[in-house]
Amino acid sequence: MTELKAADLLHQHQLKATRPRLKILNYLMENHNHPTADMIYRALVAEDDHLNRATIYNTLNSLIEVGIVIEIKNGDNSSHYDFFVEPHFHIICKNCGRIADVFYPNFDEIENKMRENAEEQTGYITSSSHLEIFGICPSCQAKLKHKKNL
């Protein structure tokens, strides 16, 4: 079922539904773990030894260009990728780099207003946007609290 959706999504964005694109897009649609390209490669190479890192990067770039996937630059200088058909923003742990999705009512309306405002203030023509909030995740909070008590 997901593969059919992935193929439809690729066709809607005028991309051929090649085997690597389908595998990578399906992985991102099914796994909301904000993987790096290397994580995607390691997850998929076991089932398809024809995949290589260049194919992963090229496919991710194609999916980013059409807006199906977004690239999230993490505090550890790594790039993470996210299937982005349903608008949401991200909260990123400044300690461990964990990324979580945050869904907010009417987020797409708020995002459009922010982009319009940015265009009015700067004269830029916007093409995309991405909101990130930084903080400390519950796991790191617990570790830091435990360290403090030692």
Side-chain angles (χ1 to χ4, degrees):
M1 182 69 169
T2 305
E3 204 160 316
L4 178 61
K5 289 181 185 178
D8 289 344
L9 197 54
L10 290 169
H11 289 284
Q12 288 170 14
H13 289 87
Q14 287 72 49
L15 292 174
K16 287 178 74 175
T18 63
R19 190 176 77 239
R21 283 182 182 153
L22 288 170
K23 286 184 179 296
I24 293 165
L25 184 54
N26 279 321
Y27 178 84
L28 290 169
M29 292 171 79
E30 294 169 359
N31 297 279
H32 303 284
N33 57 349
H34 306 95
T36 62
D38 191 55
M39 290 168 66
I40 296 169
Y41 172 77
R42 283 184 278 134
L44 298 179
V45 74
E47 62 187 57
D48 185 351
D49 60 358
H50 288 88
L51 280 177
N52 59 51
R53 284 181 169 77
T55 301
I56 301 288
Y57 281 105
N58 291 335
T59 300
L60 288 169
N61 287 333
S62 295
L63 297 174
I64 290 166
E65 282 179 30
V66 297
I68 298 173
V69 169
I70 61 167
E71 180 179 16
I72 306 165
K73 298 282 189 186
N74 202 347
D76 63 1
N77 292 325
S78 61
S79 291
H80 294 255
Y81 300 90
D82 191 22
F83 176 63
F84 201 74
V85 171
E86 185 178 351
H88 61 278
F89 63 94
H90 296 101
I91 188 161
I92 302 171
C93 181
K94 290 171 63 174
N95 192 52
C96 70
R98 180 176 292 135
I99 303 168
D101 292 334
V102 180
F103 295 91
Y104 190 80
N106 304 318
F107 176 74
D108 49 344
E109 291 174 27
I110 294 166
E111 184 180 39
N112 287 336
K113 287 180 184 176
M114 287 175 23
R115 287 175 57 184
E116 287 172 10
N117 190 291
E119 288 179 354
E120 288 173 11
Q121 286 186 35
T122 65
Y124 280 59
I125 296 174
T126 60
S127 58
S128 63
S129 62
H130 180 72
L131 175 64
E132 296 173 346
I133 296 176
F134 294 87
I136 305 294
C137 73
S139 177
C140 287
Q141 289 175 47
K143 289 175 189 172
L144 293 170
K145 184 177 180 182
H146 178 71
K147 260 187 181 177
K148 207 180 258 188
N149 291 335
L150 291 179

